[in-house]
């Protein structure tokens, strides 16, 4: 089982190693989207429930799948990335998280320990200015091609104070748990899947 710590060893999550080995392929597909990123919707537009932490258009999200719903159009634009994501067991949510220069995500925390947030950095600013995530008071910088995994129930905050883009592949995956924990996790998953929070987002990206 995984210890109850803010940051988690990526090696403990099945399937992440395979994606890391192919991170350049994923990076190439993500970079093809950058020149036309003005058409990629902000997270707050896709998911109104996130507007408290995604107040501007500076945080864009290119969704592949979420809670069992899939954007066929987006998967077709990045087919290799979509295929690699499909190899990871227990994916809850998957999207490219694109943060424009000057983005700040205020301190917040997630819903449940049943899932873990996994960042595979694809474009990280080369700058002395602040670009990092802080989880439970501990800062961490992204390193291209290296997973950063954390428990979202700890308070966390994000900055990109540089003049460059920051792009990561964001996966939320189910935490390895004992049978009772897996059952509780499934119940939470089904409840969230049918909530207006997810249904609004599904309609916004045309997922099915």
């Amino acid at each position: 089982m995984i210890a109850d710590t803010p940051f988690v060893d990526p090696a403990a999550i099945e399937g992440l190693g395979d994606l890391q080995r192919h991170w350049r392929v994923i990076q190439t597909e993500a970079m093809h989207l950058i020149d036309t990123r003005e058409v990629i919707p902000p997270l707050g537009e896709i998911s109104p429930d996130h507007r408290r932490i995604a107040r501007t258009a500076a945080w864009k999200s290119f969704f592949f799948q979420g809670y069992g719903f899939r954007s066929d159009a987006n998967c077709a634009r990045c087919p290799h990335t979509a295929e690699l994501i499909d190899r990871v067991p227990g994916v809850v949510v998957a999207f490219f998280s694109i943060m424009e220069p000057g983005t700040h995500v205020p301190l917040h925390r997630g819903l449940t320990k049943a899932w873990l947030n996994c960042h595979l950095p694809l474009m990280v600013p080369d700058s002395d200015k602040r670009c990092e995530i802080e989880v439970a008071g501990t800062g961490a910088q992204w390193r291209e091609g290296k997973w950063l995994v954390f428990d979202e129930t700890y308070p966390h905050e994000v900055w990109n104070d540089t003049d460059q883009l920051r792009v990561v592949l964001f996966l939320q995956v189910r935490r390895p748990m004992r049978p009772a924990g897996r059952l509780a996790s499934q119940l939470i998953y089904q409840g969230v899947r049918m909530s207006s929070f997810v249904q609004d987002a599904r309609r916004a990206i045309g997922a099915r």
Side-chain angles (χ1 to χ4, degrees):
M1 295 296 102
I2 292 176
D4 182 12
T5 54
F7 292 99
V8 173
D9 182 357
I13 310 301
E14 184 180 355
L16 295 191
D18 188 37
L19 264 74
Q20 183 166 316
R21 285 188 289 274
H22 295 89
W23 81 272
R24 287 288 189 186
V25 174
I26 301 170
Q27 182 194 53
T28 297
E29 291 192 330
M31 290 180 69
H32 287 162
L33 303 172
I34 295 306
D35 289 342
T36 58
R37 66 184 182 278
E38 67 276 0
V39 302
I40 299 175
L43 178 60
E45 181 179 307
I46 294 172
S47 174
D49 282 11
H50 279 90
R51 285 179 183 159
R52 184 185 69 81
I53 61 171
R55 300 168 183 163
T56 72
W59 182 8
K60 300 179 183 298
S61 300
F62 184 88
F63 270 84
F64 293 95
Q65 58 178 281
Y67 298 95
F69 300 109
R70 185 180 185 91
S71 173
D72 291 336
N74 285 355
C75 289
R77 291 184 67 186
C78 301
H80 298 297
T81 300
E83 180 184 357
L84 287 164
I85 291 169
D86 286 343
R87 297 181 192 176
V88 179
V91 171
V92 178
V93 172
F95 62 95
F96 285 142
S97 172
I98 302 168
M99 289 191 169
E100 298 282 352
T103 302
H104 172 234
V105 180
L107 193 68
H108 64 288
R109 59 196 307 168
L111 171 69
T112 174
K113 287 187 174 294
W115 310 321
L116 295 168
N117 288 1
C118 310
H119 291 183
L120 181 61
L122 305 172
M123 297 176 64
V124 177
D126 179 15
S127 172
D128 293 333
K129 293 183 179 179
R130 191 177 197 182
C131 185
E132 69 173 359
I133 183 170
E134 188 175 281
V135 183
T138 300
Q141 287 73 43
W142 295 279
R143 303 289 181 233
E144 289 186 0
K146 305 294 184 183
W147 282 106
L148 188 155
V149 181
F150 65 96
D151 179 338
E152 69 161 357
T153 63
Y154 286 95
H156 52 285
E157 191 168 1
V158 178
W159 297 264
N160 178 12
D161 292 338
T162 77
D163 59 359
Q164 302 168 46
L165 287 177
R166 188 237 61 177
V167 182
V168 305
L169 174 63
F170 180 110
L171 301 185
Q172 195 170 66
V173 301
R174 300 191 190 203
R175 178 193 288 262
M177 303 175 79
R178 295 185 175 88
R182 289 197 298 271
L183 177 59
S185 172
Q186 183 62 21
L187 292 173
I188 294 170
Y189 176 89
Q190 292 298 335
V192 175
R193 185 176 191 269
M194 300 312 298
S195 69
S196 60
F197 157 68
V198 169
Q199 295 303 316
D200 287 345
R202 179 181 68 82
R203 286 187 288 270
I205 64 173
R208 60 178 182 82

